[in-house]
Amino acid sequence: MLRTTSQAVVALTGAVLAAVPVGAAAQDRRTPSSLEELIPDSAVADPERWAAQGAPADPDEDAAVAALAEPDPDSPLAEVPPIDLPWPDDLELPALADLEPDDSIQFADVDERDREQTGLADAEIVRITAELVLAFPPDDAAFPQRAEFAERFGQLSTIAELDSDEDNIAQLAARAKADEELLATMLRVYGYYDAQVIRTVGAALPGEENAANRPRVRFDLIPGARYRFGAIDLGDLAAATDGEALRRVFEIRSGDPLSSDSIIAEQFDLDRALGEMGYPFAAIDEPELLVDHARQEGDLTMKVAPGGKFVFGEVNSNLPDFLSGRHLATIARFDPGDIYQRSLEYDLRRAIVSTGLVSSVTVSRRKVSDPAGGQPGEVALDVEITPAKLRTIAGAIGYGTGEGFRVEASWEHRNLFPPEGMLRLRGIAGTQQQLAGVTFRKNNFGGRDKVLTLDAFASTISSQAYDARTVSFVGTYERLSTLLFQKPLAWSVGFEAVATGERPAPIGGVVQPRRTYFIGALPVYAQVDTTDSLLDPKNGFRLGGRLSPEVSRSNATQSFYLRSQIDASAYRQVSERVVAAGRVRFGAIPGAALADIAPSRRLYSGGGGSVRGYGFQAIGPRDANGNPTGGRSLVEGAIEARIGTRYFDGALSVVPFLDAGSVSQSVTPDFDTVRFGAGIGVRYDTGFGPLRLDVATPINPAPGDSRIAVYVSLGQAF
């Protein structure tokens, strides 16, 4: 009931207000004495019905509303009454008073060139790009790091990065603001916390370099005083067993010039020293620098928790039947009881990866015992490995003029005989050689990167010099230089047992009789390597020697002789894109006549790995039909320039070369007949090693030598 009455009152009030004409309210200013005068009796009797009737109609108002709602587009506009406003003829405006000059305003007489002096007078200008310069104080002592600073800024500057002839002043102004902030940050890095940077953006001045109204940005640097290190807090570093030695490693002292770069570098050095001096669980907090502008100093806080000194314990493997912890300890470069070194831990991980048997390796440190009584604690290394795919099928295709085509294929299982016992089956099918063999290889046998290899194979060779059918059994024990661990010294010792039936090339179309040789040899080899890359060296040298004392028996004739060879090569990067390389080789076989040495054991020259431009084994003494007979001495040399290009993102290089070689039947070299070959090659850097294509021609060919020789292989020629 209360709700209904309220709704009626609201409706009644709204209806009353709507019933009062606006015009009447404006004209009639009389105020009703009460609300009852406005409410008729019918509204009181039935308010809802009365409210539903709405306001009484006004015919004049309805007509006006209708006229506005639907105007007639053809009806003419009503005439606007003219404005009758007379213009005064006698209007006179007061004259403006003259302004007196203000002598307090001064204008500088600035020549266009004087804008160069708006920052530093007599500044030392360092040009970063054609449109960007830095202005340093003329006194070197005010900012001694200017050369390093300018180079560093040039690498980070947005203006230098986007240097273009089409830059306009608006673009430079936007970039200059960012570079100004960069300079302020860099100055603080160097310890100049009160420095000022003055930015000038405008066109180049007449007479300047690139002065064809090219926009330019100049920054004047006013470094101010360089702050210094104040108090230095390194936490518990002094409590470490080697606290004094570790503090000497951290070379920042109070009073040293402040430098954020120095903090980062010394933090790295301290962390490395902790890891190398036996602190595997050391922790270093992030450095904090509190700058006091009043003292012009920065207080450094870098909390260090050494965590105690430790020695190496045992090495454990999660797959002992695959790679046992005992075997992993064999390839580690430390023994139990040695002071812990982080680098040796990382080295062990790399060594496990280099076996090729694992897809992932994780090495974790585990505390076995705590330091006590002045003695270090013990830390064990737990190795978790995931095996990789162990079976591999591989192949290679090559071609050389005089050698023909050569196709190789192999299958291997790299851990058929754990740990690291590999079995390989291999075969060669080529124009001159066919081979089938089986190889057993034991990596890391008896020590790191020491390899035992047993190889048995049968082969046939049909070359321009001889025809041979051979069965061999070869064993070597060697210390290898690998792609991951290139060594300054590599060596090998071994044995060879060879049975071969050989004959020289046909003479006048007549096939010569085959002669059988039984050969035993004990070859040794050593190489010193100082180069910077195994496959693509740019600096350094290599010097290697091979000696093989041999005994040969054929047709009841027994011979003893020594096969020897020395190889030397040197590499020098003469410019950013040019590497000069050269090599020499000397070989000799003293002790037996040439006829008592099997043709396959003699010395030959010519081919892609020897003297390019000539066929394989084509250089040296020849028989009456022009077939190579081989010799007992050998001399070779080669020089080449490896010139990089910008093609294929710098992966392509061009290599002009000159080779020379001579072979003699005597033990001492004979330089009467030296064959020269020259040519040009290209190298494509695959990321693993260069792919080589050489085209060469003999300069002084012998009868029957081809005019063009082509060689394709992986890696440099030497």
Side-chain angles (χ1 to χ4, degrees):
M1 184 65 181
L2 178 61
R3 180 180 179 183
T4 303
T5 305
S6 299
Q7 292 176 343
V9 172
V10 171
L12 177 62
T13 305
V16 170
L17 294 176
V20 179
V22 177
Q27 297 173 9
D28 188 1
R29 300 295 181 180
R30 184 181 63 87
T31 303
S33 59
S34 64
L35 185 60
E36 286 78 0
E37 296 182 11
L38 297 175
I39 302 176
D41 296 338
S42 59
V44 177
D46 191 353
E48 293 185 0
R49 181 178 179 182
W50 182 85
Q53 294 177 0
D58 186 345
D60 296 333
E61 182 180 355
D62 291 344
V65 172
L68 292 175
E70 298 181 2
D72 185 0
D74 297 330
S75 61
L77 294 175
E79 294 185 2
V80 179
I83 300 176
D84 189 9
L85 182 62
W87 184 262
D89 295 333
D90 55 350
L91 180 64
E92 293 184 4
L93 297 177
L96 296 176
D98 294 335
L99 296 177
E100 295 294 333
D102 188 352
D103 296 334
S104 64
I105 300 177
Q106 301 266 341
F107 293 93
D109 185 12
V110 180
D111 184 77
E112 190 70 16
R113 290 181 177 274
D114 289 338
R115 292 189 302 171
E116 190 73 19
Q117 310 299 329
T118 56
L120 292 169
D122 301 325
E124 179 178 335
I125 303 300
V126 176
R127 186 171 298 279
I128 307 300
T129 67
E131 57 188 5
L132 176 62
V133 297
L134 295 181
F136 292 96
D139 184 8
D140 289 343
F143 197 82
Q145 312 90 348
R146 63 187 61 194
E148 173 192 340
F149 186 92
E151 180 181 1
R152 192 171 182 180
F153 172 69
Q155 296 171 351
L156 300 173
S157 167
T158 59
I159 297 177
E161 179 184 1
L162 302 175
D163 185 26
S164 172
D165 293 337
E166 299 180 358
D167 288 344
N168 55 46
I169 293 181
Q171 292 173 320
L172 285 179
R175 298 174 195 162
K177 190 173 183 180
D179 276 6
E180 181 179 0
E181 296 176 358
L182 170 64
L183 286 168
T185 301
M186 290 180 60
L187 287 165
R188 289 193 294 271
V189 168
Y190 282 81
Y192 296 95
Y193 282 83
D194 295 332
Q196 298 180 51
V197 179
I198 300 175
R199 180 179 78 237
T200 305
V201 182
L205 301 179
E208 276 191 331
E209 183 182 355
N210 298 322
N213 289 326
R214 182 173 179 177
R216 187 206 59 182
V217 178
R218 167 174 165 160
F219 292 104
D220 290 79
L221 306 182
I222 305 174
R226 189 178 188 183
Y227 283 33
R228 296 185 175 275
F229 284 103
I232 299 176
D233 182 2
L234 297 179
D236 298 330
L237 182 64
T241 304
D242 305 288
E244 293 184 4
L246 291 169
R247 183 62 183 88
R248 287 194 296 269
V249 171
F250 191 80
E251 296 180 339
I252 296 178
R253 300 290 183 270
S254 297
D256 290 347
L258 198 152
S259 169
S260 299
D261 291 337
S262 297
I263 297 174
I264 296 173
E266 296 304 321
Q267 180 186 5
F268 175 81
D269 290 344
L270 179 58
D271 179 72
R272 181 174 57 185
L274 285 164
E276 294 302 292
M277 296 175 68
Y279 298 86
F281 305 107
I284 302 178
D285 289 349
E286 287 297 320
E288 297 179 359
L289 186 65
L290 180 61
V291 177
D292 189 332
H293 292 269
R295 292 187 288 121
Q296 293 186 339
E297 289 183 343
D299 297 332
L300 175 63
T301 300
M302 191 174 72
K303 300 292 186 180
V304 180
K309 190 167 185 174
F310 290 80
V311 297
F312 282 112
E314 62 180 358
V315 179
N316 302 302
S317 172
N318 66 318
L319 297 177
D321 295 333
F322 182 77
L323 286 176
S324 65
R326 180 180 178 182
H327 179 69
L328 298 181
T330 300
I331 66 178
R333 299 187 188 275
F334 58 82
D335 295 319
D338 290 348
I339 296 297
Y340 171 85
Q341 290 181 258
R342 187 188 302 158
S343 61
L344 296 182
E345 176 190 329
Y346 293 164
D347 177 79
L348 174 61
R349 184 186 183 280
R350 290 193 298 268
I352 297 172
V353 171
S354 68
T355 64
L357 304 180
V358 301
S359 61
S360 65
V361 180
T362 302
V363 180
S364 303
R365 297 180 291 270
R366 176 169 49 86
K367 186 185 298 183
V368 177
S369 61
D370 290 312
Q375 297 298 316
E378 181 179 332
V379 58
L381 299 183
D382 295 331
V383 180
E384 184 174 347
I385 57 180
T386 302
K389 294 182 179 180
L390 302 177
R391 297 171 179 82
T392 301
I393 297 176
I397 299 177
Y399 173 80
T401 302
E403 301 173 56
F405 287 97
R406 178 186 176 96
V407 180
E408 297 185 45
S410 65
W411 172 93
E412 68 179 26
H413 190 303
R414 294 189 298 279
N415 203 37
L416 186 61
F417 307 99
E420 297 194 71
M422 180 268 291
L423 183 69
R424 175 188 294 151
L425 304 178
R426 62 191 177 99
I428 298 175
T431 305
Q432 294 187 350
Q433 183 183 17
Q434 298 79 42
L435 179 145
V438 57
T439 303
F440 170 79
R441 180 186 179 103
K442 188 79 168 178
N443 290 328
N444 295 313
F445 181 74
R448 175 75 164 270
D449 293 333
K450 295 178 180 178
V451 181
L452 174 66
T453 303
L454 301 175
D455 190 18
F457 62 90
S459 69
T460 63
I461 297 177
S462 179
S463 69
Q464 189 179 359
Y466 61 88
D467 178 281
R469 299 173 182 175
T470 305
V471 176
S472 298
F473 181 62
V474 180
T476 59
Y477 184 61
E478 57 191 332
R479 182 176 186 261
L480 290 176
S481 189
T482 66
L483 294 176
L484 287 179
F485 300 102
Q486 185 175 344
K487 297 175 179 59
L489 176 63
W491 52 262
S492 72
V493 296
F495 69 88
E496 294 182 48
V498 181
T500 179
E502 302 183 6
R503 62 188 178 194
I507 300 177
V510 179
V511 177
Q512 302 299 304
R514 192 177 297 276
R515 186 175 177 182
T516 302
Y517 298 85
F518 296 96
I519 304 169
L522 296 174
V524 295
Y525 170 77
Q527 176 180 268
V528 176
D529 187 355
T530 67
T531 61
D532 54 358
S533 173
L534 200 62
L535 292 179
D536 190 15
K538 293 179 173 57
N539 286 292
F541 70 89
R542 291 172 182 159
L543 178 63
R546 186 183 303 274
L547 295 175
S548 179
E550 299 184 4
V551 58
S552 174
R553 186 175 183 84
S554 176
N555 296 339
T557 300
Q558 185 167 287
S559 303
F560 295 92
Y561 54 87
L562 177 67
R563 299 178 74 230
S564 60
Q565 182 172 302
I566 296 176
D567 291 275
S569 59
Y571 312 87
R572 177 69 179 273
Q573 186 159 1
V574 296
S575 68
E576 181 181 358
R577 293 184 174 273
V578 179
V579 175
R583 74 170 184 89
V584 294
R585 174 179 291 170
F586 301 95
I589 309 178
L594 184 67
D596 294 330
I597 302 173
S600 62
R601 313 294 286 187
R602 299 172 186 173
L603 298 177
Y604 299 88
S605 183
S610 178
V611 180
R612 289 163 286 187
Y614 295 85
F616 178 63
Q617 299 180 339
I619 294 177
R622 303 194 178 199
D623 59 21
N625 291 323
N627 298 317
T629 62
R632 293 193 297 159
S633 64
L634 164 73
V635 177
E636 288 181 355
I639 56 173
E640 65 182 31
R642 301 165 184 175
I643 305 171
T645 71
R646 299 185 184 277
Y647 297 105
F648 299 98
D649 294 329
L652 189 70
S653 57
V654 179
V655 182
F657 56 83
L658 175 66
D659 298 348
S662 175
V663 177
S664 174
Q665 291 184 345
S666 64
V667 176
T668 58
D670 180 5
F671 295 99
D672 292 340
T673 306
V674 179
R675 301 296 178 187
F676 293 91
I680 192 167
V682 294
R683 307 287 186 269
Y684 181 80
D685 188 0
T686 63
F688 175 76
L691 183 65
R692 174 170 73 108
L693 171 64
D694 287 338
V695 179
T697 184
I699 296 177
N700 56 336
D705 286 333
S706 174
R707 297 302 303 173
I708 297 294
V710 179
Y711 311 96
V712 180
S713 67
L714 180 66
Q716 297 286 3
F718 57 89

